[in-house]
Amino acid sequence: MALRMSTLFARTLKEDPVDAEVASHKLLHRGSYIRRAAPGIYTWLPLGLEVLRRIENIVRQEMVAAGSQEVHFPALLPAGPYEASGRWETYGDGIFRLKDRKEADYLLAPTHEELFTLLVKDLYSSYKDLPLSIFQIQTKYRDEARPRAGLLRGREFIMKDAYSFNIDDAGLDDSYQIMRDAYIRIYERLGLPYVIVEATSGAMGGSGTEEFLYPSEVGEDTYVRTAGGYAANVEAVTTLIGEPLDASDAPAAHKETTPEANTIASLVDVSNELFAREDRPWEAADMMKLVMCTLVHPDGRREVIAIGLPGDREVDLDRAAGSGMLSSGEIDLEPASAEDLAKHPDIVAGYIGPGTSLEDQVLGAEGSSGVRFFVDPRITREGSRWVAGGNEAGTHVYDLILGRDFTVDGVLEVAEVREGDPAPDGSGPLELARGVEIGQIFKLGTRYAEALDLKVLDENGKTQVVTMGSYGVGVTRAMACIAEENHDDKGLIWPQHLAPADVHIVATGKGAEPIEAAEKITAELESMGVRVLLDDRPKASPGVKFGDAELLGVPTILVVGRGLADGKLELRDRRTGEATDVPVEDAVARTVEAIDAKYAELGAKRGEL
Ligand code: ATP
Ligand code: MG
């Protein structure tokens, strides 16, 4: 049935929503595609649902083509499985929790690894049943700290999540590759530009993972790429340490009085003034900056740690959280509060350092403070000589060498990544860009299968833990990205195959003729399977109708108006603004031609969604 503006449940708006920051949010709201129900929670109107379902269908078709079978889980789930995996705790404030009338704990699922694992455990028991790939397109809930930008970051959103089950790692590699290929087809069919980047697994756990990012300034993810083909989320970039330095003639570490030098900049000045080097001036990168942070353990315990990094770098807590020790997601890292630091009176703010010798360490689990000490990889560069605080106001220690003068409890990727830093694979200097994460694929391995005891019998009748993959597409987020990618200052410009209608017919002018002619054309187009949105409002002005057609963004517009008296209609291309006169008798054929040409450009076909 044609959509008719006279009866369509929609009200286009002139005003942007007050909280709107990005074009997709403004235009989807003004075009009556979505309405806000609560922060980060949206109601879908007929136009919005039409576009959403088309996106879902592309995702569904590609999943099925990749051999995955569709299932559907509840969003409301008991806490048990998530307690077993540890995520009931690690998600912290990130999920919606509730209790039933019997006081039992429930949650609104943020993602479904646990439940898929249990379902397979329920039904399967032999290696012969594997490999298996199953997926759902389903509503997820996350109590995001900053729901923003409309559908880009919701607290309720639609995700396609697929899971693979294999008997061994080689099988997992195959399943992962099949999904990766399917993702490429999905984003190509959606017409969304994407970059595939190495990523970190965060709270998900597991080994290899990649993200699909839509490159855009509105994105919250920073990624890096090189001309040589390296691409990674900034959280996954590993630091190139640099060649060993010759420290054979380095003097023993020596403690010096450095008045007024309690910042990196003042320390550089004081060092150049009092302890000038012969080879070159001191630089911030020679100084070891000490940043005190607090690790929050799953049981709530707050542990103060010291982080050492070159003085010209800032700490990037998101990178730290995704790296090494923290990758299990079982601990949070935050800047140490005054209260946390008050428990360590031996830490002298502004003059913190590892100590002066191995026998006399202050930082480190073995040191006198007992405060664990982690460093940026650059600190571990062989033979590098560092200047750090002397643990006494007004003093610093020079020529500190790791291994000779101090030890550390671990190495962490904690420093910010900067434009021009060398790529870890040697492919050149890094370029920084922003993007929106539209999908992520994980080799989970056995983490969930072990926690929830998913085992099958192998060929030799021995029990084997199943190895898993998990694969997510942000469906509603993809819709926002498609709107970001396809709009101008007047409104949306949908790719033909995703638009809420194939053609937007604008009937304008006095009397009943234009509407009657438009109705006739509508009926003919419909009989050919063309989806029509007809503006048949008798009282709306031409200006209002054209404005709405531009806002709603159907890429093909047919105007039945002034020219009708001369037997002419006008076919407009919303993308280019180009208008062509067509004789009334050819209008249907020419419209179908224009529509199908746009489908073909996208490698799509009318009727396939
Ligand atoms: P982000 O880092 O943006 O919070 P995530 O890494 O936590 O996302 P995943 O757990 O990898 O998200 O979820 C799979 C996909 O679901 C993401 O790639 C993204 O496209 C989508 N998604 C995640 N959170 C949201 C959200 N709050 N609103 C809309 N889509 C989301
Ligand atoms: Mg992700």
Side-chain angles (χ1 to χ4, degrees):
M1 274 295 284
L3 300 171
R4 286 183 164 70
M5 286 299 276
S6 58
T7 51
L8 181 66
F9 186 53
R11 276 287 171 274
T12 55
L13 303 169
K14 289 218 160 46
E15 300 296 319
D16 292 329
V18 276
D19 57 339
E21 303 161 29
V22 299
S24 57
H25 184 193
K26 292 177 188 168
L27 295 174
L28 290 171
H29 169 89
R30 284 180 41 212
S32 228
Y33 284 83
I34 57 170
R35 295 292 288 174
R36 195 186 88 135
I41 304 179
Y42 292 87
T43 305
W44 291 83
L45 277 71
L47 289 175
L49 269 186
E50 178 67 26
V51 177
L52 177 65
R53 291 204 173 116
R54 300 178 77 79
I55 296 171
E56 283 183 2
N57 280 343
I58 288 182
V59 174
R60 176 176 288 112
Q61 287 175 357
E62 291 303 331
M63 283 299 108
V64 171
S68 201
Q69 300 175 59
E70 187 164 4
V71 298
H72 198 85
F73 278 90
L76 176 61
L77 295 169
Y82 290 81
E83 282 168 350
S85 71
R87 292 208 289 189
W88 179 252
E89 277 193 358
T90 56
Y91 263 112
D93 290 338
I95 52 173
F96 290 96
R97 299 162 195 267
L98 56 165
K99 285 192 191 290
D100 70 3
R101 62 172 72 208
K102 293 181 182 141
E103 290 291 301
D105 283 318
Y106 279 76
L107 79 165
L108 293 174
T111 170
H112 280 76
E113 278 72 10
E114 287 81 350
L115 274 288
F116 273 77
T117 309
L118 288 174
L119 182 66
V120 175
K121 177 180 168 184
D122 204 9
L123 297 179
Y124 278 5
S125 56
S126 161
Y127 76 97
K128 290 183 198 146
D129 299 323
L130 305 180
L132 171 71
S133 173
I134 41 183
F135 79 99
Q136 64 175 347
I137 296 177
Q138 198 257 9
T139 310
K140 302 278 190 260
Y141 296 86
R142 295 184 185 178
D143 195 1
E144 299 279 358
R146 290 181 307 277
R148 67 178 274 279
L151 300 180
L152 275 179
R153 183 171 295 285
R155 296 199 296 165
E156 179 186 282
F157 60 97
I158 297 174
M159 194 203 287
K160 183 287 299 174
D161 44 331
Y163 304 83
S164 65
F165 300 84
N166 289 91
I167 190 75
D168 56 22
D169 286 344
L172 171 58
D173 289 348
D174 290 344
S175 296
Y176 183 89
Q177 191 58 43
I178 290 170
M179 276 293 158
R180 192 177 190 273
D181 292 343
Y183 272 50
I184 290 172
R185 281 193 299 276
I186 288 171
Y187 298 117
E188 307 245 309
R189 284 184 69 186
L190 292 176
L192 264 184
Y194 63 90
V195 238
I196 305 176
V197 301
E198 277 176 34
T200 54
S201 48
M204 201 68 83
S207 55
T209 171
E210 289 169 298
E211 286 168 350
F212 287 72
L213 301 181
Y214 160 60
S216 164
E217 278 308 308
V218 307
E220 291 181 273
D221 284 68
T222 305
Y223 69 98
V224 300
R225 59 200 311 181
T226 65
Y230 175 77
N233 191 302
V234 82
E235 291 172 21
V237 174
T238 50
T239 302
L240 213 57
I241 295 175
E243 296 296 310
L245 298 169
D246 179 13
S248 51
D249 60 350
H254 45 107
K255 188 166 174 175
E256 303 289 353
T257 302
T258 48
E260 311 286 317
N262 58 359
T263 63
I264 296 290
S266 56
L267 176 60
V268 171
D269 290 346
V270 167
S271 300
N272 280 322
E273 206 174 298
L274 302 182
F275 313 104
R277 298 172 63 123
E278 282 173 9
D279 51 346
R280 58 170 174 83
W282 290 103
E283 291 166 3
D286 300 315
M287 311 298 160
M288 194 197 301
K289 180 192 272 186
L290 266 299
V291 179
M292 305 305 288
C293 288
T294 298
L295 271 179
V296 186
H297 290 263
D299 59 4
R301 187 166 61 88
R302 297 177 66 82
E303 178 194 358
V304 171
I305 61 166
I307 294 177
L309 71 166
D312 61 335
R313 300 257 165 186
E314 300 298 327
V315 166
D316 177 341
L317 285 179
D318 289 339
R319 258 169 65 66
S323 116
M325 159 181 89
L326 306 177
S327 66
S328 65
E330 298 193 342
I331 11 193
D332 271 343
L333 189 63
E334 37 183 76
S337 66
E339 216 171 288
D340 294 331
L341 288 175
K343 299 197 185 103
H344 295 277
D346 43 347
I347 299 289
V348 188
Y351 296 93
I352 309 166
T356 43
S357 71
L358 285 178
E359 294 71 47
D360 182 25
Q361 285 200 74
V362 174
L363 295 180
E366 306 295 317
S368 59
S369 69
V371 170
R372 287 201 291 160
F373 180 31
F374 297 89
V375 292
D376 172 79
R378 292 173 191 82
I379 303 288
T380 68
R381 181 176 185 180
E382 208 181 313
S384 56
R385 290 145 70 163
W386 298 97
V387 182
N391 296 303
E392 198 185 320
T395 67
H396 280 88
V397 181
Y398 287 74
D399 292 306
L400 278 166
I401 294 180
L402 177 66
R404 186 190 76 173
D405 307 318
F406 67 99
T407 56
V408 298
D409 297 298
V411 178
L412 278 183
E413 289 290 352
V414 287
E416 39 148 4
V417 171
R418 287 202 300 238
E419 185 95 20
D421 282 349
D425 67 348
S427 64
L430 299 177
E431 253 172 59
L432 263 63
R434 293 185 76 74
V436 180
E437 184 190 319
I438 45 179
Q440 186 164 14
I441 52 179
F442 296 89
K443 287 183 189 171
L444 290 175
T446 55
R447 162 162 181 205
Y448 292 90
E450 246 152 38
L452 297 158
D453 198 31
L454 170 58
K455 293 181 183 140
V456 294
L457 292 179
D458 70 10
E459 277 167 304
N460 307 315
K462 280 220 229 101
T463 52
Q464 273 277 2
V465 181
V466 170
T467 179
M468 293 171 53
S470 124
Y471 315 91
V473 167
V475 175
T476 43
R477 182 178 284 183
M479 177 158 157
C481 293
I482 292 163
E484 285 298 326
E485 182 69 12
N486 301 284
H487 73 272
D488 61 15
D489 53 354
K490 298 190 194 95
L492 297 156
I493 313 174
W494 294 110
Q496 180 71 54
H497 63 319
L498 303 177
D502 287 325
V503 59
H504 187 140
I505 301 184
V506 178
T508 71
K510 296 226 160 42
E513 286 86 41
I515 290 182
E516 276 166 18
E519 286 283 5
K520 198 163 151 270
I521 292 170
T522 298
E524 274 184 62
L525 286 169
E526 280 211 285
S527 71
M528 300 169 74
V530 173
R531 299 173 301 134
V532 180
L533 169 59
L534 170 63
D535 197 342
D536 58 345
R537 289 175 291 181
K539 296 240 164 71
S541 72
V544 165
K545 289 184 176 180
F546 289 128
D548 280 352
E550 283 172 329
L551 174 61
L552 296 182
V554 175
T556 308
I557 298 170
L558 180 68
V559 183
V560 184
R562 258 203 312 244
L564 185 62
D566 307 323
K568 278 197 221 125
L569 306 186
E570 193 184 83
L571 203 48
R572 287 191 188 177
D573 188 326
R574 170 70 182 91
R575 302 171 308 178
T576 58
E578 210 177 303
T580 323
D581 280 346
V582 293
V584 178
E585 60 275 17
D586 296 345
V588 168
R590 294 284 297 275
T591 303
V592 173
E593 207 176 281
I595 293 168
D596 287 353
K598 292 198 191 90
Y599 271 99
E601 264 175 46
L602 296 153
K605 276 203 200 71
R606 200 149 46 81
E608 74 182 345
L609 295 177

